[in-house]
Amino acid sequence: MFSNFDFSVIGSSLPYLFGQGMVFTVTLTALAAGMGVVLGTLLAMMRLSGVPGLKHIAKVYVELMRSLPLVLVIFWFYFLVPYIGAWVTRAPNPIQVGAFSSALITFTLFEAAYFSEIMRAGIQSISKGQTGAANALGMTYWQTMANVILPQAFRNMLPLLLTQTIVLFQDTSLVYVLSLTDFLGAASKVAQRDGRLVEMYLFAAVVYFAVCFTASFLVRRLQRRVAIIR
Amino acid sequence: MNYNWNWSIFLEPSPEGAGTYADMLLSGLSWTIATALSSWIIAFVLGSLVGVLRTLPSAGAQRIGTAYVELFRNVPLLVQMFLWYFVLPEVLPGNAGTWLKQLPNAPFYTAVVCLGFFTASRVAEQVRAGIQSLPRGQRMAGTAMGLTVAQTYRYVLLPNAYRIILPPLTSEFLNNLKNTSVALTIGLLELTARARSMQEFSFQVFEAFTAATILYVLINLVVITAASFLERSVAVPGTR
Amino acid sequence: MTSSPMPGPTVAEPVAPGARAPADSGLQSGRLIAPQAGGAPGVPMIAIDNVNKWYGDFQVLTNCSTAIVKGEVVVVCGPSGSGKSTLIKCVNALEPFQKGQITVDGTKVMDKATNLPKLRSRVGMVFQHFELFPHLSITENLTLAQRKVLRRPAEEAKKRGLDLLARVGLSAHASKYPGQLSGGQQQRVAIARALAMDPIVMLFDEPTSALDPEMVGEVLDVMVELARDGMTMMVVTHEMGFARKVADRVIFMDRGEIVEDATKDDFFGKPRSERAQQFLSKILQH
């Protein structure tokens, strides 16, 4: 049934698909995950701090992000970031932000909400006695967090953080709506140029599946190891 | 910042001719809700089936269930959307493909099926987790009374499992609702798409997106309220 | 400085600690503790003055007052829910209280101006569930607060930690992780960890009640040794054998109140309150 199809288009476009597309996807995923975890951890700490203002700001931020579709958030920041940039740099007009930076800011801010829920659960999973012991030894809030609570929370939650990163890896395909050249964007451009939609989209699906399946498998193995150590 | 706010834009007629910009957004909202509800029916039924497969003693059934979940979880939703919309009609035998291509409202039906199958993999995971969290004795007690496997699931395991997984199912329902926006890539005129076209026509970017944001937040609140009401009304007396 | 009248009416004259007070370096003479700072003459090391605490509407501590002078070992006992663990946690402000005052070596613990981390670094605490940090090795557990709080150089912190680990008889386990040790071993490490900060006073919150019975002895042995070395100690425990051996005073609490506060001999010989008598008869039966 594939007699009408020409899969050689894949071979000839491999350098473009991976050299540009996949590099974009992986870079965006890694940077947004790293920055998202940091911001998410701060949000989780704010939310658990018990300080009225901080607690509520973090809660509203997280709940708002989690109730919006990523596509809408991508559009929001695509138009908003130039204005924020102008406001920060006191420029009179919206400043041009590169497509990659705009996407990176969007995914960092969006995923931080999800990472913060994971880190919040992680921090809450550490018994109160650990905080008590650290405080009793004279450690300050930041020392306790940095040396005692966060390392444990992070280790316990590592499988969930990585699983969320796999979700993020898949989500980055939505930069398609901004016509950026991530892996799917590259595949889609070739597909439309050569009229080979079937071949290119099937190939994209296979590649995404292979990457995500392998990564999930590794995370499950890690999860079993973490479970044993605990 | 020199952005010219113009909140009265919603009352101005949209260039599409039929009604105001507000009407346009509300029509988007109704497509979002229609798509979310229709796809949820598929997701719930198919997801329950696959989830049950993964808890059956038969190794073959488990393998089928696992394969389904892995397949639909490890390919981005957007790619799945393209596969259903662009690829499926091409690879189907002649007549069926042509019928699909000529289907009126194709973006809507495609989105419903795509989201249904996608969300089913998530529902399946919840159903499996719910069934596995029940004490093992429940299944044995059902069998001991002479219930068939199907009856044990229908009358003993599933009623309890659904109650346990109601909160995560609620968030899957909301995820499914948010995911309807991905269907704008295949031309479904749902809420985000309408906000985007309002921005393109009127240049009032932030009014359009603010309105869409508020509508999404409102639906979320309605769903969460309804879910907690449902949770209370199906709660078994004497259990937490 | 507190000038409030010291302890309630049942308090006997605190036993003068001078007889057992150490003079020179704890390590050289094979003891667990270094010479203690703090504790100006006439000022109690811990002064608890009319402390009241509520959880919402529920009062957990009612008018608790007592004082512990340098070198004294005070055992706090009472039925579960009597507030004894809450009271000891108030001493280093792990639990806040709403009314009254506690001073440690002259510093008010609930004062906003007090540098709590600094105060706490001088008050050692041992917990019911050990609370070693599971992601850190034993050596790291012993050195973390020395380095981060006392700003000791890594080498010095390690030496001090390992010396104390040797004193509690666990040198062989320095590079293991808490999860690899038995409960009794973990609690001995926890004591060494607290001692590494060179505390002026040690608080023990039911240190043996989470242990399997066969491990209680090894922990109590370390505590007895510590008491004999002259450490000021406040110990919440049901181990009456320990109290008989080394306590100077025994405080009995019930329903959030200090019911009895007496010398060891008075407490075991002729407890005045009926509640203390009942408690003792129940505990001493086994």
Side-chain angles (χ1 to χ4, degrees):
Chain A
M1 74 184 199
F2 287 110
S3 52
N4 300 332
F5 303 122
D6 175 13
F7 285 91
S8 66
V9 63
I10 296 168
S12 59
S13 53
L14 280 181
Y16 176 62
L17 288 176
F18 285 92
Q20 277 201 31
M22 193 50 100
V23 167
F24 181 103
T25 295
V26 170
T27 315
L28 181 59
T29 304
L31 290 177
M35 289 158 54
V37 168
V38 172
L39 182 59
T41 304
L42 288 173
L43 284 166
M45 287 165 65
M46 283 167 71
R47 206 160 166 190
L48 294 171
S49 68
V51 181
L54 288 182
K55 195 171 80 179
H56 294 121
I57 292 170
K59 184 176 154 72
V60 167
Y61 178 85
V62 170
E63 296 300 331
L64 179 65
M65 280 298 176
R66 278 159 39 93
S67 62
L68 297 182
L70 177 52
V71 178
L72 180 64
V73 177
I74 290 174
F75 286 142
W76 252 119
F77 283 107
Y78 180 72
F79 292 101
L80 194 60
V81 167
Y83 283 91
I84 297 175
W87 179 65
V88 170
T89 61
R90 294 168 192 281
N93 291 308
I95 59 165
Q96 288 309 304
V97 180
F100 181 80
S101 312
S102 175
L104 179 57
I105 293 170
T106 306
F107 279 93
T108 299
L109 294 177
F110 184 77
E111 295 294 333
Y114 289 83
F115 283 127
S116 99
E117 287 297 273
I118 297 173
M119 286 309 291
R120 186 162 70 112
I123 294 171
Q124 284 177 318
S125 74
I126 309 300
S127 84
K128 285 235 181 267
Q130 290 282 300
T131 309
N135 287 343
L137 286 165
M139 288 190 220
T140 61
Y141 171 80
W142 289 102
Q143 286 173 330
T144 304
M145 275 291 163
N147 297 292
V148 177
I149 305 299
L150 290 181
Q152 294 185 60
F154 196 79
R155 201 191 66 182
N156 292 353
M157 292 294 131
L158 192 57
L160 285 182
L161 292 170
L162 290 174
T163 301
Q164 183 63 32
T165 304
I166 298 173
V167 172
L168 168 61
F169 175 77
Q170 297 187 14
D171 280 350
T172 56
S173 63
L174 288 173
V175 297
Y176 173 89
V177 300
L178 301 179
S179 306
L180 300 188
T181 312
D182 73 318
F183 180 69
L184 181 63
S188 168
K189 278 170 191 166
V190 174
Q192 271 148 30
R193 184 195 66 197
D194 298 352
R196 292 287 168 200
L197 269 65
V198 173
E199 296 84 341
M200 292 314 294
Y201 287 144
L202 278 176
F203 179 66
V206 169
V207 170
Y208 274 113
F209 179 82
V211 172
C212 296
F213 182 78
T214 312
S216 319
F217 173 76
L218 293 176
V219 171
R220 273 198 298 272
R221 262 182 47 177
L222 176 81
Q223 196 162 18
R224 274 198 292 274
R225 270 187 48 201
V226 171
I228 291 166
I229 293 170
R230 242 192 293 173
Chain B
M1 276 219 270
N2 49 2
Y3 177 81
N4 295 315
W5 293 95
N6 175 15
W7 290 104
S8 63
I9 185 75
F10 294 110
L11 301 178
E12 288 172 25
S14 78
E16 288 183 331
T20 61
Y21 280 114
D23 294 332
M24 193 167 123
L25 287 181
L26 289 178
S27 119
L29 177 67
S30 47
W31 279 110
T32 291
I33 293 173
T35 312
L37 289 178
S38 316
S39 55
W40 181 254
I41 294 171
I42 299 179
F44 185 77
V45 174
L46 185 59
S48 300
L49 204 68
V50 175
V52 166
L53 280 183
R54 294 196 73 181
T55 62
L56 288 175
S58 143
Q62 285 184 25
R63 224 168 282 143
I64 293 171
T66 308
Y68 181 93
V69 170
E70 292 298 336
L71 183 63
F72 283 89
R73 217 172 38 172
N74 286 317
V75 176
L77 176 59
L78 179 57
V79 177
Q80 294 189 30
M81 205 64 90
F82 286 173
L83 291 181
W84 288 103
Y85 194 70
F86 296 116
V87 176
L88 185 66
E90 302 295 333
V91 298
L92 281 179
N95 290 340
T98 315
W99 175 78
L100 253 187
K101 279 185 228 176
Q102 289 167 350
L103 196 67
N105 271 333
F108 172 70
Y109 294 115
T110 309
V112 166
V113 172
C114 175
L115 283 168
F117 276 68
F118 175 80
T119 307
S121 69
R122 322 217 147 223
V123 171
E125 280 302 87
Q126 302 298 349
V127 169
R128 176 180 70 102
I131 292 172
Q132 286 177 345
S133 74
L134 298 174
R136 286 160 47 87
Q138 291 279 306
R139 185 193 295 267
M140 289 187 239
T143 315
M145 289 192 309
L147 298 180
T148 63
V149 173
Q151 286 171 326
T152 307
Y153 273 94
R154 166 68 185 81
Y155 296 109
V156 181
L157 299 178
L158 284 175
N160 273 316
Y162 282 135
R163 283 184 171 85
I164 293 170
I165 62 170
L166 200 52
L169 275 189
T170 305
S171 70
E172 288 307 340
F173 181 86
L174 287 171
N175 285 339
N176 182 57
L177 186 126
K178 289 182 278 171
N179 281 336
T180 55
S181 66
V182 174
L184 70 78
T185 57
I186 58 167
L188 182 69
L189 296 177
E190 47 68 65
L191 182 52
T192 302
R194 298 315 253 169
R196 176 89 162 110
S197 32
M198 175 175 166
Q199 165 260 320
E200 278 173 344
F201 293 140
S202 70
F203 300 106
Q204 298 304 131
V205 187
F206 298 126
E207 290 87 339
F209 292 161
T210 304
T213 299
I214 291 172
L215 289 174
Y216 278 115
V217 170
L218 284 178
I219 318 179
N220 269 272
L221 290 176
V222 169
V223 171
I224 290 168
T225 313
S228 67
F229 184 76
L230 181 64
E231 212 170 318
R232 253 175 289 139
S233 66
V234 300
V236 178
T239 54
R240 281 195 302 122
Chain C
M1 296 290 147
T2 174
S3 57
S4 57
M6 280 302 91
T10 55
V11 175
E13 197 67 43
V15 174
R20 299 180 293 110
D24 53 6
S25 157
L27 291 172
Q28 279 164 1
S29 56
R31 288 197 313 265
L32 285 166
I33 57 172
Q36 290 180 35
V43 179
M45 197 69 100
I46 300 173
I48 299 174
D49 182 20
N50 214 16
V51 166
N52 287 264
K53 178 177 170 66
W54 289 265
Y55 286 125
D57 288 338
F58 181 67
Q59 186 156 16
V60 283
L61 293 177
T62 308
N63 299 332
C64 293
S65 295
T66 189
I68 298 171
V69 299
K70 188 178 169 185
E72 208 178 7
V73 175
V74 174
V75 163
V76 183
C77 61
S80 56
S82 60
K84 53 196 192 306
S85 276
T86 308
L87 181 65
I88 201 172
K89 285 188 181 123
C90 287
V91 172
N92 61 354
L94 285 185
E95 292 276 2
F97 49 92
Q98 286 80 26
K99 209 178 128 205
Q101 185 119 275
I102 295 181
T103 61
V104 174
D105 195 24
T107 309
K108 296 172 187 165
V109 301
M110 284 297 281
D111 194 331
K112 277 211 174 72
T114 298
N115 182 345
L116 259 188
K118 192 168 176 221
L119 176 78
R120 285 167 173 161
S121 72
R122 304 173 68 212
V123 178
M125 185 161 205
V126 176
F127 296 83
Q128 182 178 4
H129 296 287
F130 334 134
E131 303 300 350
L132 293 180
F133 304 134
H135 61 303
L136 302 179
S137 71
I138 299 304
T139 308
E140 287 165 335
N141 262 283
L142 291 165
T143 55
L144 178 68
Q146 291 190 66
R147 290 188 292 116
K148 302 287 175 185
V149 178
L150 301 181
R151 306 263 163 225
R152 280 185 187 152
E155 274 310 303
E156 187 189 332
K158 191 172 175 188
K159 183 175 182 311
R160 179 84 181 117
L162 292 181
D163 282 345
L164 284 161
L165 195 60
R167 295 298 309 147
V168 298
L170 294 170
S171 290
H173 304 286
S175 51
K176 287 190 181 166
Y177 283 79
Q180 297 171 295
L181 302 190
S182 72
Q185 290 172 326
Q186 289 192 53
Q187 194 60 300
R188 281 146 69 196
V189 172
I191 295 173
R193 178 176 73 175
L195 291 174
M197 304 294 285
D198 296 325
I200 56 172
V201 50
M202 285 283 288
L203 308 174
F204 292 83
D205 182 15
E206 308 209 26
T208 56
S209 57
L211 294 175
D212 291 335
E214 72 270 21
M215 293 171 185
V216 170
E218 61 189 80
V219 171
L220 288 180
D221 286 347
V222 172
M223 291 168 61
V224 167
E225 198 182 332
L226 194 56
R228 295 201 166 133
D229 285 351
M231 174 58 82
T232 313
M233 294 163 67
M234 181 171 177
V235 184
V236 173
T237 187
H238 290 295
E239 297 292 338
M240 289 300 122
F242 172 79
R244 279 185 193 281
K245 212 182 247 175
V246 292
D248 297 305
R249 268 170 43 227
V250 178
I251 290 173
F252 173 74
M253 290 184 72
D254 193 19
R255 292 173 217 165
E257 287 177 276
I258 293 183
V259 178
E260 195 129 354
D261 186 343
T263 63
K264 170 175 65 184
D265 294 340
D266 281 353
F267 183 76
F268 288 113
K270 38 180 178 172
R272 298 183 192 183
S273 69
E274 202 168 310
R275 281 189 272 180
Q277 285 168 15
Q278 280 174 1
F279 176 76
L280 272 177
S281 70
K282 271 185 206 153
I283 271 216
L284 297 178
Q285 266 167 12
H286 343 268

